[in-house]
Amino acid sequence: MQKQYNPSEIEGAAQDHWRAIDAYRAIEHDPRFPKGKFYACSMLPYPSGKLHMGHVRNYAINDVMYRYLRMSGYNVMMPMGWDAFGLPAENAAIDKGVAPSKWTYQNIADMKAQMQPLGLAFDWNRELAACDPAYYKWNQWFFLKMLECGIAYRKTQVVNWDPIDNTVLANEQVIDGRGWRTNALVEKREIPGYYLAISKYADQLLESLKDLGWPERVKIMQENWIGRSVGVRFAFTHQIHDLNATSADATSADASLADASLADARLIDDGRLYVFTTRADTIMGVTFVAVAPEHPLATVAAQQNSQLAAFIEQCKKGGVAEADIATREKEGRPTGLSVSHPLTGEALPVWIGNYVLMSYGDGAVMGVPAHDERDFAFALKYQLPIRPVIDVKGQVYSNTDWQTWYEDKSTGTCIHSGKYDGLGYEAAVDSIAADLQALGLGEKKIQYRLRDWGISRQRYWGTPIPIIHCPEHGATPVPYADLPVRLPDDLVPDGSGNPLNRDERFLKCQCPICGKPSRRETDTMDTFVDSAWYYMRYCSPGSDNAMVDARNDYWMPMDQYIGGIEHAVLHLLYARFWTKVMRDLGLVKFDEPFSNLFTQGMLLNDSYYREDADGKKRWFYPTEVEVRYDDKGRPNGAVVRSDGEPVSLGGIEKMSKSKNNVVEPGAIIAQYGADTARLYSMFAGPPDQSAAWSDSGVEGCFRFLRRLWNYAQALPAHLRAPSAPLDASKLDEPARALRREVHLVLKQAEFDYQRLQYNTVVSAGMKIFNAIEAGDWEGPQGHSLLRESFSILLCVLYPVVPHIGHGLWTELGFEREHGDILDVRWPQVDAQALVQSELELVLQVNGKLRGAVKVAADATREAIEQAVLGSEVFAKYSDGRAAKKIIVVPGRLVNLVF
Ligand code: ANZ
């Protein structure tokens, strides 16, 4: 009896088989795979508890790659784990009163259960969760190592404060002045914390980007983030004698652990006020100097002036992120202090400007209103002099496109600049830098925009920072032997700050130096620390005595990383930095963690909403909505099924919970099976581009698989059994044409697999199947040809739909012939099969298309002419005349001229 296509049965059987043979356990130096290792990994998911189709697409890409490469002879490793620390667990705790650890582990179990039916080739032996002490112990260990070598340090600094999550944010986590998670307006606060000196690696991070197989736009985003500027750093001098008294001595403190808040005193040391400029050629146009509100000079000036102090206070609203500051309305106050111009000695007023960033350069700028847009706006507002010193094609500062002017440094020459008059940009900068250097006041400098990475978070659910605060010895590292510092996993945050601050069990400890009662640090690490190196830990599962072991040297660097473009800066930059520090500490031998990066596109779906009286949108699930069509079949509005009332179309949007347009993989799998879910998520479009969800598309994928299954079931018994080897020379013309088609498509599929274009791989499978369906399989060669074509078809489709692939492979007896499809070698394209024995040439009469002739592929000109003169077309159009001319375009057409 013919078996129905029953996905759950077929998929269950395939998965039982894979489980029984532990199919996906990756072993270092596995001799079965001649091509060596291939490490393919999807970005670590946050265990939210719910798998969505975006995950499915991401993991399906990874899985298709896994299966194709394994068939190609690679020892492929594909791990999975959990980004298990972080705020959502704490927020859920506040909402539901359940401990974050419980919530997290429950979610992990749920998500794993949702992943399981998809048949993904994960090596679960390598699974890790960032909240496992066996993992985060090594965050702490490495932090202490970084502290030893000065990469990690403690300082008090103005930071971005998220007032909703009550925590510090890194600059990277502030987007348009708002917290990346909460969207709350970020504030400035001055608090102590731990920093990692990523800025020391700025040049290397920039340099080694070049050789990476990453999307160009991700490289550009990183380049911009690192932000290399070549310019001049120099000092204005001042005589504010009482300043020296306030610049406390920070040099004697211990290098890494000293509270470095006062180290900025260097900025006003020796009566010097330093600035960084990329336009030293405009130095003669300086009419004021502006410092950041947090600049020590501003603090000093405010001590005697309450209005200034109030202004500085007001500037604290809003984040310290640059993009935010750039768009802010320019505001400032004069400090009443003045400095002298280093080259002319002219006295210049010092202002506090809200557009000056404390965290960039020296936190101060030379104000050149004639040539800088921000200085210009500032000078106009406060009526400061504007002095043009660059002649740009005869124009001065007004009515000018500032951006072009600023960027096009090559066109201008110095004017009103004394000895520098007539010099172009480079010559002027060189000459001015040399003069400043001769005075001992400055030099050329490369400045990076990249800031050190602040990793302290005032939150509970993260890796404890392994520091002990002793009343006598201050901040003291926890001894290595005492690691891990365990996070109590039974606390339930209630929204009133970090519960670690109230947990005496955790807090109480002894100073490792003097044994006196001390307190533990309660800040925890940014969760980007966890994701900075988890992919290496996958390579050394269970390694108790080392962060990573020799197995890491085998698998790393990763051959293919797969994830979302949203990680272009944060995670990917931190991971690269972390790797370089590991290299410098002798833990790894490579420079870069991810040789190739693939950023998958998003899944989109229709969205529908109704607006209530106060303009609030309520979103409906697409399944709740019925779309109406006009008589031409065009969509014409939509109604909610339950009440028949209209809803508005919100457009095709990224699947998101907030718009209720998420498709749950569980429902798709229950209805159609995992192979359909996988097939659709690959077929929907090129994996690197976004693709729209379509119910009818899913349905179509299911029907294709069912057709394939039914066709195989209906094959007569003798065709389901192994055949004699194919003798291609014995094939007749239609059979040869079919084989040619199959091998051509195979060749294309191979190419597409290699460039990760999995949507066209699916169409290749469909084409082969169509050819097979149209074929005639009589006779012994027919049998052999069907077997060859069908095995190629299954191999082409198997990486995408492994369950049905495995099922049919086994059932049609291919397994007995060639072994398990999991490890079957990718089918070879037979070059002979591609050779065309016959060609069809277009036949024209006096340039008009009249028909076609078939000739042997290697026919001579004479043979082609013979064929044409013997053709029906010739008989019909010649009227008994001889052709004046026969034009042959080889391989394409023949034109008869009468
Ligand atoms: C004078 C000048 C004249 C400037 C001119 C520009 C144009 P990039 O290229 O992004 O590195 N700057 C320096 N430190 C700053 C700070 N802490 N906050 C805000 N702005 C700062 O930009 C360097 C330029 O940004 C510097 O060159 C400085 O303004 C400003 F026609 O100096 B320039």
Side-chain angles (χ1 to χ4, degrees), residues 240 242-243 246 268 291-312 333-338 350-352:
I240 314 151
D242 58 346
L243 275 187
T246 61
I268 51 169
V291 299
E294 305 84 4
H295 194 282
L297 204 57
T299 314
V300 168
Q303 278 161 5
Q304 278 110 46
N305 182 331
S306 62
Q307 278 177 345
L308 269 190
F311 174 69
I312 292 171
R333 296 289 183 275
T335 59
L337 308 172
S338 66
V350 179
W351 283 66
I352 300 175

mmCIF file of all heavy atoms in Angstrom, residues 240 242-243 246 268 291-312 333-338 350-352:
data_model
loop_
_atom_site.group_PDB
_atom_site.id
_atom_site.type_symbol
_atom_site.label_atom_id
_atom_site.label_comp_id
_atom_site.label_asym_id
_atom_site.label_seq_id
_atom_site.Cartn_x
_atom_site.Cartn_y
_atom_site.Cartn_z
ATOM 1 N N ILE A 240 46.164 80.858 35.143
ATOM 2 C CA ILE A 240 45.209 80.846 36.245
ATOM 3 C C ILE A 240 45.885 80.128 37.381
ATOM 4 O O ILE A 240 45.787 78.914 37.514
ATOM 5 C CB ILE A 240 43.914 80.128 35.848
ATOM 6 C CG1 ILE A 240 43.481 80.632 34.472
ATOM 7 C CG2 ILE A 240 42.802 80.372 36.861
ATOM 8 C CD1 ILE A 240 42.725 79.603 33.715
ATOM 9 N N ASP A 242 45.610 79.749 40.541
ATOM 10 C CA ASP A 242 44.949 78.935 41.570
ATOM 11 C C ASP A 242 44.495 77.573 41.045
ATOM 12 O O ASP A 242 44.100 76.704 41.785
ATOM 13 C CB ASP A 242 43.770 79.687 42.188
ATOM 14 C CG ASP A 242 42.753 80.081 41.150
ATOM 15 O OD1 ASP A 242 43.088 80.011 39.942
ATOM 16 O OD2 ASP A 242 41.639 80.453 41.522
ATOM 17 N N LEU A 243 44.560 77.387 39.727
ATOM 18 C CA LEU A 243 44.162 76.101 39.174
ATOM 19 C C LEU A 243 45.025 74.961 39.678
ATOM 20 O O LEU A 243 44.560 73.860 39.936
ATOM 21 C CB LEU A 243 44.248 76.129 37.651
ATOM 22 C CG LEU A 243 43.037 76.685 36.935
ATOM 23 C CD1 LEU A 243 43.215 76.483 35.447
ATOM 24 C CD2 LEU A 243 41.775 76.018 37.422
ATOM 25 N N THR A 246 44.026 72.911 42.573
ATOM 26 C CA THR A 246 42.910 71.950 42.505
ATOM 27 C C THR A 246 43.255 70.695 41.712
ATOM 28 O O THR A 246 42.534 69.722 41.767
ATOM 29 C CB THR A 246 41.674 72.584 41.852
ATOM 30 O OG1 THR A 246 42.045 72.964 40.529
ATOM 31 C CG2 THR A 246 41.149 73.756 42.634
ATOM 32 N N ILE A 268 44.667 70.279 32.649
ATOM 33 C CA ILE A 268 44.921 71.676 33.009
ATOM 34 C C ILE A 268 46.239 71.827 33.744
ATOM 35 O O ILE A 268 46.528 72.859 34.321
ATOM 36 C CB ILE A 268 43.762 72.261 33.858
ATOM 37 C CG1 ILE A 268 43.448 71.342 35.031
ATOM 38 C CG2 ILE A 268 42.541 72.508 33.023
ATOM 39 C CD1 ILE A 268 42.511 71.982 36.042
ATOM 40 N N VAL A 291 35.301 74.395 26.079
ATOM 41 C CA VAL A 291 35.575 73.144 26.800
ATOM 42 C C VAL A 291 34.247 72.452 27.116
ATOM 43 O O VAL A 291 33.188 73.086 27.155
ATOM 44 C CB VAL A 291 36.361 73.385 28.120
ATOM 45 C CG1 VAL A 291 37.712 74.028 27.843
ATOM 46 C CG2 VAL A 291 35.547 74.219 29.104
ATOM 47 N N ALA A 292 34.335 71.127 27.343
ATOM 48 C CA ALA A 292 33.143 70.351 27.693
ATOM 49 C C ALA A 292 32.675 70.733 29.088
ATOM 50 O O ALA A 292 33.477 71.154 29.919
ATOM 51 C CB ALA A 292 33.472 68.858 27.647
ATOM 52 N N PRO A 293 31.379 70.576 29.378
ATOM 53 C CA PRO A 293 30.857 70.934 30.708
ATOM 54 C C PRO A 293 31.553 70.168 31.842
ATOM 55 O O PRO A 293 31.633 70.663 32.960
ATOM 56 C CB PRO A 293 29.374 70.551 30.634
ATOM 57 C CG PRO A 293 29.039 70.518 29.189
ATOM 58 C CD PRO A 293 30.293 70.144 28.467
ATOM 59 N N GLU A 294 32.068 68.973 31.531
ATOM 60 C CA GLU A 294 32.735 68.176 32.575
ATOM 61 C C GLU A 294 34.224 68.460 32.634
ATOM 62 O O GLU A 294 34.954 67.821 33.401
ATOM 63 C CB GLU A 294 32.535 66.681 32.310
ATOM 64 C CG GLU A 294 31.093 66.239 32.173
ATOM 65 C CD GLU A 294 30.545 66.438 30.756
ATOM 66 O OE1 GLU A 294 31.319 66.849 29.860
ATOM 67 O OE2 GLU A 294 29.346 66.200 30.551
ATOM 68 N N HIS A 295 34.719 69.340 31.808
ATOM 69 C CA HIS A 295 36.151 69.621 31.758
ATOM 70 C C HIS A 295 36.595 70.229 33.096
ATOM 71 O O HIS A 295 35.887 71.056 33.675
ATOM 72 C CB HIS A 295 36.426 70.595 30.611
ATOM 73 C CG HIS A 295 37.871 70.700 30.242
ATOM 74 N ND1 HIS A 295 38.773 71.441 30.982
ATOM 75 C CD2 HIS A 295 38.579 70.157 29.229
ATOM 76 C CE1 HIS A 295 39.974 71.351 30.416
ATOM 77 N NE2 HIS A 295 39.881 70.565 29.349
ATOM 78 N N PRO A 296 37.775 69.857 33.595
ATOM 79 C CA PRO A 296 38.242 70.387 34.893
ATOM 80 C C PRO A 296 38.255 71.914 34.939
ATOM 81 O O PRO A 296 37.973 72.501 35.980
ATOM 82 C CB PRO A 296 39.651 69.825 35.022
ATOM 83 C CG PRO A 296 39.706 68.644 34.119
ATOM 84 C CD PRO A 296 38.699 68.859 33.046
ATOM 85 N N LEU A 297 38.542 72.524 33.809
ATOM 86 C CA LEU A 297 38.572 73.982 33.786
ATOM 87 C C LEU A 297 37.177 74.550 34.048
ATOM 88 O O LEU A 297 37.012 75.578 34.718
ATOM 89 C CB LEU A 297 39.083 74.445 32.415
ATOM 90 C CG LEU A 297 39.720 75.823 32.350
ATOM 91 C CD1 LEU A 297 40.895 75.937 33.307
ATOM 92 C CD2 LEU A 297 40.196 76.093 30.926
ATOM 93 N N ALA A 298 36.178 73.860 33.517
ATOM 94 C CA ALA A 298 34.787 74.286 33.747
ATOM 95 C C ALA A 298 34.449 74.120 35.225
ATOM 96 O O ALA A 298 33.822 74.998 35.835
ATOM 97 C CB ALA A 298 33.839 73.461 32.882
ATOM 98 N N THR A 299 34.885 73.009 35.794
ATOM 99 C CA THR A 299 34.615 72.753 37.210
ATOM 100 C C THR A 299 35.239 73.851 38.062
ATOM 101 O O THR A 299 34.604 74.385 38.972
ATOM 102 C CB THR A 299 35.218 71.383 37.613
ATOM 103 O OG1 THR A 299 34.861 70.446 36.620
ATOM 104 C CG2 THR A 299 34.746 70.939 38.972
ATOM 105 N N VAL A 300 36.476 74.196 37.750
ATOM 106 C CA VAL A 300 37.165 75.235 38.512
ATOM 107 C C VAL A 300 36.433 76.569 38.384
ATOM 108 O O VAL A 300 36.153 77.243 39.373
ATOM 109 C CB VAL A 300 38.627 75.359 38.026
ATOM 110 C CG1 VAL A 300 39.271 76.609 38.592
ATOM 111 C CG2 VAL A 300 39.402 74.119 38.400
ATOM 112 N N ALA A 301 36.062 76.904 37.149
ATOM 113 C CA ALA A 301 35.394 78.192 36.928
ATOM 114 C C ALA A 301 34.055 78.239 37.671
ATOM 115 O O ALA A 301 33.655 79.280 38.183
ATOM 116 C CB ALA A 301 35.183 78.416 35.435
ATOM 117 N N ALA A 302 33.386 77.067 37.734
ATOM 118 C CA ALA A 302 32.067 77.025 38.360
ATOM 119 C C ALA A 302 32.147 77.163 39.875
ATOM 120 O O ALA A 302 31.163 77.509 40.521
ATOM 121 C CB ALA A 302 31.357 75.730 37.984
ATOM 122 N N GLN A 303 33.324 76.892 40.421
ATOM 123 C CA GLN A 303 33.451 76.995 41.872
ATOM 124 C C GLN A 303 33.187 78.413 42.373
ATOM 125 O O GLN A 303 32.743 78.624 43.491
ATOM 126 C CB GLN A 303 34.843 76.521 42.321
ATOM 127 C CG GLN A 303 34.904 75.010 42.433
ATOM 128 C CD GLN A 303 36.327 74.474 42.429
ATOM 129 O OE1 GLN A 303 37.289 75.243 42.432
ATOM 130 N NE2 GLN A 303 36.452 73.165 42.408
ATOM 131 N N GLN A 304 33.489 79.384 41.522
ATOM 132 C CA GLN A 304 33.267 80.763 41.942
ATOM 133 C C GLN A 304 32.006 81.368 41.333
ATOM 134 O O GLN A 304 31.760 82.553 41.489
ATOM 135 C CB GLN A 304 34.476 81.623 41.508
ATOM 136 C CG GLN A 304 35.648 81.543 42.470
ATOM 137 C CD GLN A 304 36.807 80.793 41.833
ATOM 138 O OE1 GLN A 304 37.147 81.056 40.694
ATOM 139 N NE2 GLN A 304 37.401 79.873 42.577
ATOM 140 N N ASN A 305 31.252 80.568 40.587
ATOM 141 C CA ASN A 305 30.178 81.160 39.813
ATOM 142 C C ASN A 305 28.970 80.214 39.781
ATOM 143 O O ASN A 305 28.966 79.208 39.081
ATOM 144 C CB ASN A 305 30.722 81.417 38.399
ATOM 145 C CG ASN A 305 29.691 82.076 37.503
ATOM 146 O OD1 ASN A 305 28.485 81.894 37.682
ATOM 147 N ND2 ASN A 305 30.174 82.829 36.536
ATOM 148 N N SER A 306 27.936 80.566 40.551
ATOM 149 C CA SER A 306 26.811 79.637 40.699
ATOM 150 C C SER A 306 26.019 79.497 39.404
ATOM 151 O O SER A 306 25.441 78.457 39.121
ATOM 152 C CB SER A 306 25.897 80.094 41.838
ATOM 153 O OG SER A 306 25.373 81.356 41.509
ATOM 154 N N GLN A 307 26.009 80.544 38.580
ATOM 155 C CA GLN A 307 25.285 80.430 37.307
ATOM 156 C C GLN A 307 25.947 79.420 36.384
ATOM 157 O O GLN A 307 25.291 78.650 35.686
ATOM 158 C CB GLN A 307 25.216 81.782 36.613
ATOM 159 C CG GLN A 307 24.085 82.612 37.194
ATOM 160 C CD GLN A 307 24.011 83.989 36.581
ATOM 161 O OE1 GLN A 307 24.964 84.436 35.914
ATOM 162 N NE2 GLN A 307 22.915 84.674 36.810
ATOM 163 N N LEU A 308 27.278 79.448 36.400
ATOM 164 C CA LEU A 308 28.009 78.453 35.610
ATOM 165 C C LEU A 308 27.708 77.057 36.124
ATOM 166 O O LEU A 308 27.491 76.121 35.356
ATOM 167 C CB LEU A 308 29.518 78.688 35.712
ATOM 168 C CG LEU A 308 30.177 79.584 34.679
ATOM 169 C CD1 LEU A 308 31.683 79.497 34.815
ATOM 170 C CD2 LEU A 308 29.750 79.201 33.267
ATOM 171 N N ALA A 309 27.713 76.920 37.448
ATOM 172 C CA ALA A 309 27.441 75.608 38.049
ATOM 173 C C ALA A 309 26.072 75.116 37.622
ATOM 174 O O ALA A 309 25.898 73.942 37.277
ATOM 175 C CB ALA A 309 27.540 75.701 39.570
ATOM 176 N N ALA A 310 25.092 76.021 37.589
ATOM 177 C CA ALA A 310 23.743 75.625 37.186
ATOM 178 C C ALA A 310 23.722 75.205 35.716
ATOM 179 O O ALA A 310 23.055 74.246 35.333
ATOM 180 C CB ALA A 310 22.776 76.785 37.411
ATOM 181 N N PHE A 311 24.482 75.922 34.904
ATOM 182 C CA PHE A 311 24.536 75.576 33.484
ATOM 183 C C PHE A 311 25.128 74.171 33.292
ATOM 184 O O PHE A 311 24.626 73.356 32.516
ATOM 185 C CB PHE A 311 25.357 76.615 32.715
ATOM 186 C CG PHE A 311 25.563 76.249 31.274
ATOM 187 C CD1 PHE A 311 24.493 76.255 30.382
ATOM 188 C CD2 PHE A 311 26.813 75.852 30.803
ATOM 189 C CE1 PHE A 311 24.669 75.882 29.052
ATOM 190 C CE2 PHE A 311 26.988 75.483 29.483
ATOM 191 C CZ PHE A 311 25.921 75.509 28.602
ATOM 192 N N ILE A 312 26.195 73.909 34.021
ATOM 193 C CA ILE A 312 26.846 72.593 33.918
ATOM 194 C C ILE A 312 25.865 71.500 34.331
ATOM 195 O O ILE A 312 25.757 70.457 33.680
ATOM 196 C CB ILE A 312 28.118 72.553 34.795
ATOM 197 C CG1 ILE A 312 29.172 73.499 34.190
ATOM 198 C CG2 ILE A 312 28.662 71.135 34.926
ATOM 199 C CD1 ILE A 312 30.398 73.721 35.051
ATOM 200 N N ARG A 333 28.429 79.092 27.891
ATOM 201 C CA ARG A 333 28.595 80.193 28.851
ATOM 202 C C ARG A 333 30.072 80.543 28.880
ATOM 203 O O ARG A 333 30.922 79.648 28.844
ATOM 204 C CB ARG A 333 28.190 79.765 30.267
ATOM 205 C CG ARG A 333 26.727 79.392 30.461
ATOM 206 C CD ARG A 333 25.799 80.608 30.407
ATOM 207 N NE ARG A 333 24.420 80.208 30.659
ATOM 208 C CZ ARG A 333 23.588 79.757 29.729
ATOM 209 N NH1 ARG A 333 23.975 79.662 28.470
ATOM 210 N NH2 ARG A 333 22.353 79.405 30.040
ATOM 211 N N PRO A 334 30.392 81.829 28.999
ATOM 212 C CA PRO A 334 31.814 82.188 29.146
ATOM 213 C C PRO A 334 32.289 81.840 30.545
ATOM 214 O O PRO A 334 31.542 81.988 31.513
ATOM 215 C CB PRO A 334 31.810 83.703 28.932
ATOM 216 C CG PRO A 334 30.415 84.138 29.231
ATOM 217 C CD PRO A 334 29.493 82.969 29.005
ATOM 218 N N THR A 335 33.527 81.353 30.660
ATOM 219 C CA THR A 335 34.043 81.003 31.990
ATOM 220 C C THR A 335 34.640 82.221 32.678
ATOM 221 O O THR A 335 34.931 82.195 33.867
ATOM 222 C CB THR A 335 35.168 79.958 31.884
ATOM 223 O OG1 THR A 335 36.212 80.512 31.066
ATOM 224 C CG2 THR A 335 34.671 78.661 31.289
ATOM 225 N N GLY A 336 34.898 83.267 31.892
ATOM 226 C CA GLY A 336 35.592 84.422 32.450
ATOM 227 C C GLY A 336 37.103 84.245 32.399
ATOM 228 O O GLY A 336 37.863 85.174 32.663
ATOM 229 N N LEU A 337 37.537 83.045 32.035
ATOM 230 C CA LEU A 337 38.977 82.798 31.936
ATOM 231 C C LEU A 337 39.426 83.046 30.499
ATOM 232 O O LEU A 337 38.624 83.002 29.577
ATOM 233 C CB LEU A 337 39.289 81.340 32.311
ATOM 234 C CG LEU A 337 38.731 80.861 33.650
ATOM 235 C CD1 LEU A 337 38.933 79.367 33.801
ATOM 236 C CD2 LEU A 337 39.408 81.624 34.783
ATOM 237 N N SER A 338 40.731 83.259 30.353
ATOM 238 C CA SER A 338 41.229 83.370 28.983
ATOM 239 C C SER A 338 42.555 82.638 28.852
ATOM 240 O O SER A 338 43.235 82.371 29.844
ATOM 241 C CB SER A 338 41.368 84.830 28.566
ATOM 242 O OG SER A 338 42.374 85.445 29.327
ATOM 243 N N VAL A 350 37.686 81.608 27.091
ATOM 244 C CA VAL A 350 37.339 80.189 27.225
ATOM 245 C C VAL A 350 35.854 80.080 27.563
ATOM 246 O O VAL A 350 35.391 80.698 28.527
ATOM 247 C CB VAL A 350 38.173 79.500 28.328
ATOM 248 C CG1 VAL A 350 37.762 78.025 28.464
ATOM 249 C CG2 VAL A 350 39.663 79.621 28.021
ATOM 250 N N TRP A 351 35.134 79.323 26.759
ATOM 251 C CA TRP A 351 33.702 79.090 26.965
ATOM 252 C C TRP A 351 33.472 77.636 27.371
ATOM 253 O O TRP A 351 34.285 76.760 27.088
ATOM 254 C CB TRP A 351 32.930 79.368 25.668
ATOM 255 C CG TRP A 351 32.739 80.837 25.392
ATOM 256 C CD1 TRP A 351 33.714 81.750 25.115
ATOM 257 C CD2 TRP A 351 31.500 81.528 25.390
ATOM 258 N NE1 TRP A 351 33.169 82.982 24.933
ATOM 259 C CE2 TRP A 351 31.787 82.885 25.096
ATOM 260 C CE3 TRP A 351 30.167 81.165 25.607
ATOM 261 C CZ2 TRP A 351 30.799 83.860 25.011
ATOM 262 C CZ3 TRP A 351 29.191 82.127 25.513
ATOM 263 C CH2 TRP A 351 29.497 83.477 25.227
ATOM 264 N N ILE A 352 32.323 77.449 28.015
ATOM 265 C CA ILE A 352 31.868 76.071 28.178
ATOM 266 C C ILE A 352 30.851 75.866 27.063
ATOM 267 O O ILE A 352 29.959 76.699 26.872
ATOM 268 C CB ILE A 352 31.173 75.853 29.541
ATOM 269 C CG1 ILE A 352 32.148 76.162 30.674
ATOM 270 C CG2 ILE A 352 30.650 74.414 29.651
ATOM 271 C CD1 ILE A 352 31.521 76.103 32.064
#
